Amino acid sequence: QGLTNNEIAEQLVIAPATARNHVSHILDKLGMRRRSESGAFAAGCASATERGKLVGLILGGGAGGILAAFFGE
């Protein structure tokens, strides 16, 4: 979906700065510098379920809400 930090924050009922920090940490753990790189990552996965499982494994779970908003699930 390509949500902004403010849109993610609204959906998750958190502060925009918190959303920004979570997005930054997700990108860092995935070895990405820009959100645009995450689009290529997401497109390379066959399904939202596969994306969620893969990212959950990378991050060790526990980041479900922010991942769903970030990757558009």
Side-chain angles (χ1 to χ4, degrees):
Q1 290 178 353
L3 299 177
T4 66
N5 290 337
N6 287 339
E7 291 168 332
I8 292 170
E10 277 183 32
Q11 284 191 9
L12 299 178
V13 192
I14 59 176
T18 302
R20 182 187 68 237
N21 288 336
H22 284 311
V23 168
S24 177
H25 290 133
I26 290 168
L27 291 174
D28 188 49
K29 288 186 179 203
L30 293 173
M32 299 175 188
R33 293 178 183 242
R34 296 178 189 88
R35 285 175 182 252
S36 58
E37 293 174 279
S38 70
F41 170 81
C45 295
S47 69
T49 301
E50 182 183 20
R51 237 181 355 255
K53 286 180 182 177
L54 179 59
V55 175
L57 287 173
I58 292 168
L59 300 179
I66 192 77
L67 290 174
F70 185 68
F71 285 108
E73 297 178 24

